[in-house]
Amino acid sequence: MMATGELNPNHYPAQRAAKVVQHYLNTRYGSPYRLLGLQRVHSGNAEDVEDSGRKYQLEISVQEMIGNTTEKCSAEVLFPRGEGQRSPQVQASCEQLLKVNNTAQEEALYKLFKTNQSLLSAQNLPDSYGHIEPDMKPLWHLSIVASSAVMLNESTENTLYNMAQVANITQLATENDQVKFDCHVLLHEMVSQEIIHWKLLFTWSPPEGVKVLQMEQLPHCHDCEKPPNTN
């Protein structure tokens, strides 16, 4: 049975719900120069909502990890009840973290993607030593934002997802204003300790943000090397 009422901020029920908020914020606001991460859960409360599911009220601190700024935010997460996998419903507002203007950096990166003579690609971000070359970090950040859509969609009260590694990412030719990428990512489900492989097709532009067009879970890979440890 899941705990009801006031929750211990450091225990799994509150932490799992708060992690869902992180995925939600990245899905909505993440970019190559804005990544939002859970820093701390201050308080949590859970209640059963008749015929709807289970609702968590949270007070959390969210960190914008690239600029290293932090804001305390209120959030609500509803895990739907019933048959079939349905993604959690999230409400959260962290306005201060969204005020940092990254427009110039994003426009410069977008121009680089659009004018490169050859399409960009990368493998194993980070590598087995946890290292990512500085010029590859925007691809890593874009992959995290795209993967947040998967992690949000797949999250339940019994899961805790982290991004582990980009196995490979390739820029695709595009005929419109969106830069398109094909990406194979490894997600770490912390409860089961399973590494889950997903194939993503997504686009990005500064005005539109990251849009995931397709997501497909790949068959379990028994012989794959375990990715670097991540938080």
Side-chain angles (χ1 to χ4, degrees):
M1 291 291 292
M2 290 287 185
T4 299
E6 187 175 350
L7 303 173
N8 186 322
N10 299 314
H11 287 182
Y12 262 138
Q15 292 288 327
R16 288 169 181 165
K19 196 72 171 179
V20 171
V21 178
Q22 172 186 315
H23 301 322
Y24 167 81
L25 291 171
N26 273 323
T27 299
R28 291 201 66 181
Y29 306 115
S31 81
Y33 298 102
R34 178 187 288 132
L35 280 183
L36 302 164
L38 175 66
Q39 186 187 66
R40 182 184 172 191
V41 179
H42 298 281
S43 65
N45 186 280
E47 63 176 312
D48 289 310
V49 181
E50 187 177 358
D51 298 328
S52 296
R54 191 167 164 78
K55 183 165 66 176
Y56 288 75
Q57 301 279 357
L58 303 163
E59 291 291 331
I60 61 178
S61 284
V62 175
Q63 181 180 23
E64 197 292 292
M65 294 183 285
I66 300 172
N68 196 27
T69 57
T70 303
E71 181 184 354
K72 194 171 181 179
C73 311
S74 297
E76 179 181 294
V77 181
L78 176 68
F79 291 98
R81 180 180 290 127
E83 295 184 8
Q85 171 76 30
R86 289 184 293 160
S87 60
Q89 300 169 21
V90 183
Q91 295 181 15
S93 178
C94 300
E95 299 301 325
Q96 295 302 316
L97 295 179
L98 307 179
K99 288 184 177 180
V100 178
N101 191 330
N102 301 313
T103 303
Q105 291 171 294
E106 293 194 1
E107 290 289 354
L109 180 66
Y110 177 76
K111 184 177 180 181
L112 178 66
F113 283 147
K114 294 288 283 185
T115 58
N116 269 338
Q117 294 298 312
S118 58
L119 298 174
L120 292 175
S121 64
Q123 293 181 323
N124 300 328
L125 304 176
D127 63 20
S128 56
Y129 299 99
H131 178 71
I132 301 174
E133 290 294 332
D135 60 343
M136 291 292 105
K137 283 189 176 180
L139 291 177
W140 165 244
H141 297 158
L142 281 169
S143 301
I144 292 175
V145 175
S147 297
S148 292
V150 177
M151 293 187 281
L152 176 63
N153 190 62
E154 295 294 307
S155 287
T156 71
E157 287 184 280
N158 300 307
T159 62
L160 185 64
Y161 283 102
N162 278 326
M163 173 74 163
Q165 189 180 44
V166 178
N168 57 69
I169 180 171
T170 303
Q171 181 184 354
L172 303 177
T174 181
E175 298 175 357
N176 56 30
D177 292 334
Q178 307 298 307
V179 185
K180 186 182 288 186
F181 297 93
D182 181 82
C183 188
H184 174 186
V185 299
L186 281 61
L187 306 183
H188 187 189
E189 205 289 286
M190 304 289 285
V191 179
S192 66
Q193 288 299 310
E194 186 178 3
I195 300 295
I196 306 172
H197 294 243
W198 284 82
K199 183 178 176 64
L200 306 177
L201 182 68
F202 68 91
T203 61
W204 172 73
S205 70
E208 297 294 327
V210 175
K211 305 293 183 186
V212 179
L213 307 180
Q214 297 175 18
M215 56 177 78
E216 176 190 359
Q217 185 174 347
L218 300 176
H220 185 73
C221 182
H222 294 281
D223 301 322
C224 292
E225 180 182 352
K226 190 172 181 179
N229 187 38
T230 58
N231 294 317

